[in-house]
Amino acid sequence: MTTSDGEGLGSHALADAIGARHRGVERAVTALRAPDTATPGAVVVWPDADADGLAKLGAAGVAAVAAVPGDESRGEALAAAANAVGIALLVVTDARVALARLSRALDRRPAPAEPGVHPSATVHPSAVLGARVSVGPGSVIAADARLGDGVVVGPLCSVGAAAEIGDESVMYARVTLYDGVRVGRRCVLHAGAVLGADGFGYAFGSRGAEKIHHLGGVVIGDDVEIGANTCVDRGTLHDTVLGDRCKLDNLVQVGHNVHIGDDAVVAGHTGIGGSSRIGRRVVIGGAVAIADHVTIGDDARLAGRAGVTKDVPAGETWGGFPAQPFRRWVREHYLIGRLETMWRHVRGADADGPATGEAKRA
Amino acid sequence: MTTSDGEGLGSHALADAIGARHRGVERAVTALRAPDTATPGAVVVWPDADADGLAKLGAAGVAAVAAVPGDESRGEALAAAANAVGIALLVVTDARVALARLSRALDRRPAPAEPGVHPSATVHPSAVLGARVSVGPGSVIAADARLGDGVVVGPLCSVGAAAEIGDESVMYARVTLYDGVRVGRRCVLHAGAVLGADGFGYAFGSRGAEKIHHLGGVVIGDDVEIGANTCVDRGTLHDTVLGDRCKLDNLVQVGHNVHIGDDAVVAGHTGIGGSSRIGRRVVIGGAVAIADHVTIGDDARLAGRAGVTKDVPAGETWGGFPAQPFRRWVREHYLIGRLETMWRHVRGADADGPATGEAKRA
Amino acid sequence: MTTSDGEGLGSHALADAIGARHRGVERAVTALRAPDTATPGAVVVWPDADADGLAKLGAAGVAAVAAVPGDESRGEALAAAANAVGIALLVVTDARVALARLSRALDRRPAPAEPGVHPSATVHPSAVLGARVSVGPGSVIAADARLGDGVVVGPLCSVGAAAEIGDESVMYARVTLYDGVRVGRRCVLHAGAVLGADGFGYAFGSRGAEKIHHLGGVVIGDDVEIGANTCVDRGTLHDTVLGDRCKLDNLVQVGHNVHIGDDAVVAGHTGIGGSSRIGRRVVIGGAVAIADHVTIGDDARLAGRAGVTKDVPAGETWGGFPAQPFRRWVREHYLIGRLETMWRHVRGADADGPATGEAKRA
């Protein structure tokens, strides 16, 4: 992508980058801002912008607005307004996708680490580093580790023996990969994440708890993002597996031998018990707890705070604890809200003489 | 504060330091202890101490007792007992406040890091360090970071590019600040805390999940304490904000764009969903889950394990999941405890022939 | 233990190591595998293996099978099959214990850190290191710390002033011990664990929240394992104590002054409130929340997701929130599942004219 000047992106180039249709006038765009914090030169995502709004933003110096006009006539009106006020109009169909793409195109945050191997890093001679790898200050790369092209290892990371990181993956500060962990390409691992610690497994025999050494590994697909201080345990004899494009939020716990399918999304504070299987495209809310050895079918959704104790069929939405189909859970809550009425009924019957001896004894 | 000898604090000075009235005799105080582990020279907080108790502690060598006599005559009796046994009596009105102030005055724990920049630290030449800054072994201070006077950076911390830390703030080991994070004055950040990781935001369009780059920051007020391994995500386009004097426990998750008001208290394992607003002086118990985009009014309180799905009015106490006003929640639990009675009533009616066809079909 | 060749363990030696009876033929065993991923030379744990199964595994090159024949005649049949196919049969009584011991005997994972003190580590001259200690790259050992014989400190760990680590304990990467923390012998601390951060304690007086400095410590027994990113806070005036052989999973929070008895097991995401007492051999499921100042009796068990608000008697199993005896909790859920029936009954009565005015007003 070329920039129209030293500071900004040309709005036509930006429209191409985000898959938008360009209307209005060419402007240099320097930043992405929210409508309430718009600055001169910024682009703003405003799905239902109208002509008056465009005029106001334009007067404030805003360079471009991404909008979802909805129909042709509204689009023309907006374009006319954009021309009148002299700003760019980026016509899109999905405002959130536009936001994601603009945030990427206009991300001016510094790179997570300097390029090259920092002199304070400790890289074992047997480790293999691809082209353009950067290893941040203090980081430790153990024997036989393999880092693909363009890998960024932030400061103070620990990459265990024979661990592998695919091309263009980024580790922020203080990520730990235990020995043998394999991370795919274009992954993003946030600070404090721990991949490959021993699973929680013991045999309780005559000598007390005997540790089950975890000889399996962790295998992470491509384009996976893992949140800060999230933990993914290694498997017992098999691997713990995360499919391609999985997104895990902060402080998530993934137990040993778990399989998570491609494109699954797991919000913060969720824990997944050992050997459970999470299907493809499953969406898991925050603070969900999933028991050991259960299966969540493809495309299932778990409401925040769900506590899953048994299998969830593909495509269903479950919630509550113990988790149940969402509609049943909602109904249950409705009925719990009717308990006062039920109790009055029962007590009333009691007071007037219960219909049966059963009720009398209660 | 002057000490009466090389090891102890004079009890009059100590009384001044904690806002107590000094009675009994001047003693040198060397440590703060619990009543059951009192050692010679120690001060003990014992709100409802009586004369016999003082005598016993005095005989064991205790130097001072902080007590809440309640009324004048009881105070005089205690003072007489203190004089008789030869110990100091620190008359206070709030035992817990006395404990806090004594714990501060008698904190003999080592400083969290050596003063100065440790030779193994990596400080970018463009970083600006105030007077008396200490940077611990292995820590990494990136470009354009600004550390105020007296800042203590413990060992193995990572301070991102252009991050700012206010005067006298302390970071224990292995704290991570991402780029641009701003921390106020006199803050305490515990080991493993991560401030400024990307929020959990994606657009799900035709190309699958597209990451929303997080261009906002994190702004932490003055006198904030953040627990071990707690995570505060950066905002999307705005900042995630913690007000002055907020206290966050360990393993807390604060989502993107969240605002937490001044003086809020958040216990461990609590998660706050994206863009939610927590008012001033809100008190949040442990393991609470707060959904995205809700508002918790000023002075509200959330019971431990609450799961908040909608706004909580100012000043109210809520609990349960979905959270509701505390009294209603308690009532609901009472009624759930009556279910056996209700069920017997219904079954009894059934057994004898239900009153209506509705019940028969059930 | 001697190996029969450069790569494998002799099966008789392996049988001795795991307390099994050796039948079939001597084989060199190179690895432990699951039945579905068995490789040539591997040993497989297959509790209810039969003769056909042994033949199939033998044909695939498997070297040994650990089985639980149950009775004499079945054992003889298996031994005959093992002889026929030329593999070793390890006769055991507890398959999970056999798995644990085999996983230990055949653990070929690299040591968590190189022996010796890495040149990039920072060890204070006053620290005392036992024989065979290894300190990984970048790790920081503060003044007066004491490391026992054979202690392994992984990369990028921080051991605070006057902290103590018992013989043969292992810390993986990025473990933090605050000042004065004492860890027993043969402990395993996983990456990101934080021991000894300040407990969450404030006094709320006229000056707002005043921090209670935590002058107590953390004392960890022998043979304890602590999971990744788990936090154990230091005590206020007393110590926080974990007994011998405790096992804590990942992302667990242990509050100030907590005592955990010997042999307790705590699964992931569990939080234990301040000053609570957990008895010996207590088993706590995942995502459990335990309030402050409660006592869990010896041998009690808490189901996953329990929220404990009051004392749990010794030996009992509790679940739910607020937690109650397991059977009562199950009964309660049964009754909640009957709410539809109860509601129909009540509404039916309403429809036909309620028995009492109470119900009519509801």
Side-chain angles (χ1 to χ4, degrees):
Chain A
M1 203 180 308
T2 58
T3 57
S4 60
D5 57 36
E7 293 188 347
L9 279 172
S11 56
H12 276 87
L14 193 57
D16 287 351
I18 71 166
R21 184 176 169 208
H22 190 287
R23 306 298 299 274
V25 304
E26 166 75 6
R27 289 286 299 270
V29 177
T30 55
L32 170 64
R33 289 281 185 273
D36 64 334
T37 59
T39 47
V43 59
V44 165
V45 180
W46 192 2
D48 46 1
D50 59 12
D52 280 1
L54 287 198
K56 209 171 290 182
L57 287 178
V62 162
V65 172
V68 187
D71 62 47
E72 186 72 18
S73 72
R74 194 142 176 276
E76 291 304 321
L78 278 182
N83 276 317
V85 70
I87 68 174
L89 175 71
L90 310 177
V91 177
V92 299
T93 54
D94 184 321
R96 194 163 168 87
V97 167
L99 176 67
R101 294 178 184 170
L102 287 169
S103 74
R104 180 178 182 180
L106 292 158
D107 185 350
R108 295 290 181 268
R109 289 174 52 196
E114 306 279 321
V117 176
H118 194 274
S120 66
T122 301
V123 179
H124 194 278
S126 65
V128 178
L129 274 58
R132 294 169 291 110
V133 163
S134 72
V135 178
S139 282
V140 179
I141 314 292
D144 301 317
R146 300 180 74 90
L147 279 59
D149 295 345
V151 164
V152 175
V153 176
L156 301 164
C157 291
S158 173
V159 177
E164 298 181 19
I165 309 175
D167 296 347
E168 311 296 339
S169 282
V170 174
M171 290 161 58
Y172 283 90
R174 301 197 301 97
V175 172
T176 297
L177 307 186
Y178 277 58
D179 56 284
V181 168
R182 287 154 52 197
V183 173
R185 293 170 292 174
R186 298 174 303 277
C187 291
V188 177
L189 311 185
H190 282 284
V194 176
L195 275 58
D198 294 349
F200 195 60
Y202 303 90
F204 294 92
S206 54
R207 299 185 200 165
E210 297 189 43
K211 179 179 173 66
I212 296 175
H213 289 237
H214 278 66
L215 311 181
V218 171
V219 178
I220 307 287
D222 295 335
D223 301 295
V224 170
E225 184 158 4
I226 292 184
N229 286 342
T230 279
C231 303
V232 181
D233 282 348
R234 65 192 313 121
T236 313
L237 300 179
H238 301 89
D239 294 324
T240 303
V241 178
L242 272 67
D244 294 338
R245 296 174 300 281
C246 287
K247 312 296 180 187
L248 272 59
D249 198 356
N250 299 346
L251 292 166
V252 168
Q253 155 68 6
V254 179
H256 52 186
N257 313 317
V258 165
H259 274 237
I260 303 184
D262 295 344
D263 298 293
V265 175
V266 183
H269 269 145
T270 285
I272 304 177
S275 302
S276 286
R277 306 220 146 216
I278 313 298
R280 298 180 181 190
R281 296 171 301 277
V282 167
V283 176
I284 302 181
V288 167
I290 299 177
D292 296 349
H293 293 282
V294 302
T295 296
I296 313 294
D298 290 347
D299 299 294
R301 302 173 78 92
L302 302 175
R305 256 301 172 81
V308 180
T309 57
K310 58 184 177 184
D311 292 355
V312 174
E316 297 197 0
T317 299
W318 284 37
F321 173 58
Q324 54 184 318
F326 194 80
R327 279 163 177 278
R328 262 208 277 163
W329 180 46
V330 169
R331 177 69 182 167
E332 187 177 289
H333 269 287
Y334 170 82
L335 291 169
I336 287 172
R338 299 289 85 71
L339 274 174
E340 198 69 70
T341 301
M342 297 190 222
W343 182 233
R344 282 178 188 167
H345 176 82
V346 168
R347 277 180 54 192
D350 257 292
D352 284 4
T356 73
E358 270 278 61
K360 194 181 270 170
R361 281 197 304 273
Chain B
M1 204 179 310
T2 58
T3 57
S4 62
D5 59 34
E7 293 189 347
L9 279 174
S11 55
H12 277 85
L14 193 58
D16 287 350
I18 72 167
R21 184 176 168 208
H22 191 287
R23 306 298 299 272
V25 305
E26 166 75 8
R27 289 286 300 270
V29 177
T30 54
L32 170 64
R33 289 281 185 273
D36 64 333
T37 58
T39 47
V43 58
V44 165
V45 179
W46 192 2
D48 46 1
D50 59 11
D52 281 2
L54 288 198
K56 210 170 288 180
L57 288 178
V62 162
V65 174
V68 187
D71 62 47
E72 186 73 18
S73 71
R74 194 140 176 278
E76 291 305 321
L78 278 182
N83 277 316
V85 70
I87 68 174
L89 176 70
L90 309 178
V91 177
V92 298
T93 53
D94 184 321
R96 196 164 167 88
V97 167
L99 175 68
R101 294 178 184 172
L102 287 169
S103 74
R104 180 177 181 180
L106 293 158
D107 185 350
R108 296 290 180 267
R109 289 174 53 194
E114 306 279 321
V117 175
H118 194 274
S120 66
T122 301
V123 179
H124 194 278
S126 65
V128 178
L129 275 57
R132 295 169 290 110
V133 162
S134 71
V135 178
S139 282
V140 180
I141 315 291
D144 302 316
R146 300 181 74 91
L147 281 58
D149 295 344
V151 163
V152 175
V153 176
L156 300 164
C157 291
S158 173
V159 176
E164 299 180 20
I165 310 176
D167 296 347
E168 312 296 339
S169 283
V170 174
M171 291 161 58
Y172 283 89
R174 299 200 300 98
V175 172
T176 297
L177 307 186
Y178 277 58
D179 57 285
V181 169
R182 288 154 52 197
V183 174
R185 294 168 292 173
R186 299 174 302 278
C187 291
V188 177
L189 311 185
H190 282 285
V194 176
L195 274 58
D198 294 350
F200 195 61
Y202 303 89
F204 295 91
S206 54
R207 297 185 201 165
E210 297 189 44
K211 178 178 175 66
I212 296 174
H213 289 237
H214 278 66
L215 311 181
V218 171
V219 178
I220 307 286
D222 295 335
D223 302 295
V224 170
E225 184 158 3
I226 292 184
N229 285 343
T230 279
C231 302
V232 180
D233 282 348
R234 68 191 313 120
T236 313
L237 300 179
H238 301 90
D239 294 324
T240 303
V241 178
L242 272 67
D244 294 338
R245 298 173 300 281
C246 287
K247 313 296 180 187
L248 272 59
D249 199 357
N250 300 343
L251 292 166
V252 168
Q253 155 68 4
V254 179
H256 52 186
N257 312 317
V258 166
H259 274 237
I260 303 186
D262 296 344
D263 299 292
V265 175
V266 183
H269 269 143
T270 284
I272 303 176
S275 301
S276 286
R277 306 221 146 213
I278 314 297
R280 297 179 182 192
R281 298 172 300 278
V282 167
V283 176
I284 302 181
V288 167
I290 299 177
D292 295 351
H293 293 283
V294 300
T295 297
I296 314 293
D298 291 347
D299 299 295
R301 303 172 76 92
L302 301 175
R305 256 304 171 78
V308 180
T309 56
K310 57 183 177 186
D311 291 355
V312 174
E316 297 198 1
T317 299
W318 284 38
F321 174 59
Q324 55 182 319
F326 194 78
R327 279 163 176 279
R328 262 208 279 162
W329 181 44
V330 169
R331 177 69 184 167
E332 186 176 289
H333 269 287
Y334 170 82
L335 291 169
I336 287 173
R338 298 289 86 71
L339 275 174
E340 196 71 68
T341 301
M342 297 190 220
W343 183 233
R344 281 177 190 168
H345 175 82
V346 169
R347 277 181 53 195
D350 257 293
D352 283 5
T356 74
E358 272 278 67
K360 196 181 265 169
R361 282 198 302 276
Chain C
M1 202 180 309
T2 58
T3 56
S4 62
D5 58 35
E7 293 189 347
L9 279 172
S11 55
H12 277 85
L14 193 58
D16 287 351
I18 71 166
R21 184 175 169 209
H22 191 286
R23 306 299 299 274
V25 304
E26 166 75 8
R27 289 285 299 269
V29 176
T30 55
L32 170 64
R33 288 280 186 274
D36 64 334
T37 58
T39 46
V43 57
V44 165
V45 180
W46 192 3
D48 47 1
D50 60 12
D52 280 1
L54 288 197
K56 210 171 287 181
L57 287 179
V62 163
V65 173
V68 188
D71 62 46
E72 185 73 16
S73 71
R74 195 140 175 279
E76 290 305 321
L78 278 183
N83 276 317
V85 71
I87 70 174
L89 175 70
L90 309 178
V91 176
V92 299
T93 54
D94 184 320
R96 194 163 167 88
V97 168
L99 175 68
R101 294 177 184 171
L102 287 169
S103 74
R104 181 178 180 179
L106 292 159
D107 185 351
R108 296 288 181 268
R109 289 174 51 196
E114 305 279 321
V117 175
H118 193 274
S120 66
T122 301
V123 179
H124 194 278
S126 65
V128 178
L129 274 57
R132 293 170 292 110
V133 163
S134 72
V135 178
S139 282
V140 179
I141 315 291
D144 302 316
R146 300 181 73 90
L147 280 58
D149 295 344
V151 164
V152 175
V153 176
L156 300 165
C157 291
S158 173
V159 176
E164 298 180 19
I165 309 176
D167 297 346
E168 312 295 340
S169 282
V170 173
M171 290 161 59
Y172 283 89
R174 299 199 300 98
V175 172
T176 296
L177 307 186
Y178 276 58
D179 57 284
V181 169
R182 287 154 53 197
V183 173
R185 294 169 292 174
R186 296 174 304 276
C187 291
V188 177
L189 310 185
H190 281 284
V194 176
L195 275 57
D198 294 349
F200 195 61
Y202 303 89
F204 295 91
S206 54
R207 297 186 203 164
E210 297 190 43
K211 177 177 174 68
I212 296 175
H213 289 236
H214 278 67
L215 310 181
V218 171
V219 178
I220 306 286
D222 296 334
D223 301 296
V224 170
E225 185 157 4
I226 292 183
N229 286 341
T230 279
C231 302
V232 181
D233 281 348
R234 65 192 314 120
T236 312
L237 300 179
H238 300 90
D239 294 324
T240 303
V241 178
L242 272 67
D244 295 337
R245 296 174 300 282
C246 287
K247 312 296 181 189
L248 272 60
D249 199 356
N250 299 344
L251 293 167
V252 168
Q253 155 67 3
V254 179
H256 53 185
N257 314 316
V258 165
H259 274 237
I260 304 185
D262 297 343
D263 298 294
V265 175
V266 182
H269 270 144
T270 284
I272 304 177
S275 302
S276 285
R277 307 220 145 214
I278 312 298
R280 298 180 180 189
R281 295 172 301 277
V282 167
V283 177
I284 302 180
V288 168
I290 299 177
D292 295 351
H293 294 283
V294 302
T295 297
I296 313 294
D298 291 346
D299 299 296
R301 302 172 78 91
L302 301 175
R305 258 299 172 83
V308 180
T309 57
K310 57 183 178 184
D311 293 355
V312 174
E316 296 197 359
T317 299
W318 283 38
F321 174 58
Q324 55 182 320
F326 195 78
R327 279 163 176 279
R328 263 208 276 162
W329 180 45
V330 169
R331 177 68 182 169
E332 187 176 289
H333 269 287
Y334 170 82
L335 291 169
I336 287 173
R338 298 289 86 69
L339 275 173
E340 197 70 69
T341 301
M342 297 189 221
W343 183 233
R344 282 177 188 168
H345 175 81
V346 168
R347 279 180 52 194
D350 257 293
D352 284 3
T356 74
E358 272 280 67
K360 194 182 266 171
R361 282 197 302 274

